[in-house]
Amino acid sequence: SSELTQDPAVSVALGQTVRITCQGDSIRDIYVNWYQQKPGQAPVLVIYDKINRPSGIPARFSGSSSGNTASLTITGAQAEDEADYYCNSREISGNEVLGGGTQLTVL
Amino acid sequence: QVTLRESGPALVRPTQTLTLTCTFSGFSLSTGGMCVSWTRQPPGKALEWLARIDWDDRKYYSTSLGTRLSITKDTSINQVVLTMTNMDPADTGTYYCARMTRLRKGDYASGNYFYAYYMDVWGRGTAVAVS
């Protein structure tokens, strides 16, 4: 089965730019989505299909992909962006797969 | 407005079967491209995808849990039911359902296309303890 690898924790100074990455063999050929989860809340979709931002998600969130690595970039991180971020893709079987999550701290 | 709400028992005993219901509104699971997924999260741990059911009744299950899971839908009452057998304390956590929709990519006319799926609306989750 495919796996998606994320750094467990990342920190960023308030107002600075941070990139959260997701590595996996399936990423090269298929979609990657990103979800934000704050403590005690359900996940929220922030990027779908590698680069698309749903309506209502601030423009400081962007997605990109190169080879087997997808990235979520927050340009000008805000205090409210402190959360866990999960990437999601799909195995050849059709099963969804989620990364282990990255805990983002805004300093 | 799309909403989903999970419901089920807050406490189950080890070896029992868990039955969770996802009741949704604002979309139809009869519509092509619509799916509902279940994901869970043990306390303090990462999200784990469990299962998905598509508008055409195709079903997908987590490789690690597949034999314990069953997902069904009732489109007439907008519900998806997930059952998990042989519950264990390690299954304690919050269980979420989410709508999954898709974006077509590529050239449809030539047949060179695929779909990008994503979970765009989530329920608030239901907490389940196994003890």
Side-chain angles (χ1 to χ4, degrees):
Chain A
S1 64
S2 298
E3 290 187 354
L4 298 178
T5 302
Q6 298 183 241
D7 291 329
V10 171
S11 62
V12 61
L14 184 67
Q16 296 304 302
T17 296
V18 62
R19 176 176 293 179
I20 299 169
T21 61
C22 173
Q23 288 187 303
D25 290 339
S26 64
I27 287 175
R28 189 184 308 274
D29 302 316
I30 204 165
Y31 59 84
V32 176
N33 308 313
W34 290 93
Y35 304 94
Q36 175 195 68
Q37 187 183 34
K38 297 180 180 180
Q41 298 183 20
V44 172
L45 179 70
V46 293
I47 294 289
Y48 64 97
D49 190 28
K50 297 183 181 177
I51 62 171
N52 299 291
R53 192 174 60 249
S55 61
I57 300 302
R60 63 180 179 271
F61 289 88
S62 64
S64 62
S65 177
S66 177
N68 70 341
T69 301
S71 300
L72 171 69
T73 300
I74 306 174
T75 304
Q78 302 299 302
E80 61 264 33
D81 300 333
E82 188 162 288
D84 294 329
Y85 291 86
Y86 294 90
C87 59
N88 150 233
S89 186
R90 176 175 290 192
E91 300 174 347
I92 294 176
S93 63
N95 290 354
E96 299 297 314
V97 59
L98 287 157
T102 297
Q103 183 179 53
L104 176 66
T105 300
V106 180
L107 303 172
Chain B
Q1 180 188 8
V2 173
T3 64
L4 303 99
R5 184 182 77 250
E6 305 87 350
S7 59
L11 176 67
V12 297
R13 303 300 181 191
T15 75
Q16 285 187 335
T17 293
L18 172 68
T19 299
L20 296 174
T21 300
C22 176
T23 303
F24 56 88
S25 63
F27 71 99
S28 172
L29 204 39
S30 298
T31 301
M34 288 295 164
C35 320
V36 169
S37 269
W38 284 92
T39 301
R40 72 176 180 179
Q41 186 171 39
K45 296 188 178 180
L47 298 171
E48 177 185 17
W49 178 80
L50 298 177
R52 182 184 115 211
I53 189 165
D54 294 359
W55 77 100
D56 57 4
D57 212 39
R58 277 184 293 184
K59 303 169 185 180
Y60 301 86
Y61 297 104
S62 160
T63 302
S64 59
L65 295 169
T67 59
R68 298 175 53 203
L69 297 173
S70 176
I71 190 169
T72 60
K73 64 181 174 70
D74 188 334
T75 54
S76 67
I77 56 173
N78 286 348
Q79 287 186 342
V80 170
V81 174
L82 179 75
T83 60
M84 182 181 294
T85 60
N86 194 24
M87 292 293 286
D88 182 271
D91 297 314
T92 293
T94 300
Y95 288 72
Y96 298 97
C97 65
R99 184 181 77 164
M100 179 166 267
T101 188
R102 66 183 188 180
L103 172 70
R104 189 172 68 212
K105 300 188 64 179
D107 182 18
Y108 184 76
S110 68
N112 187 21
Y113 66 95
F114 71 96
Y115 290 100
Y117 287 83
Y118 49 97
M119 292 176 273
D120 65 339
V121 183
W122 294 64
R124 297 176 66 176
T126 187
V128 178
V130 185
S131 179

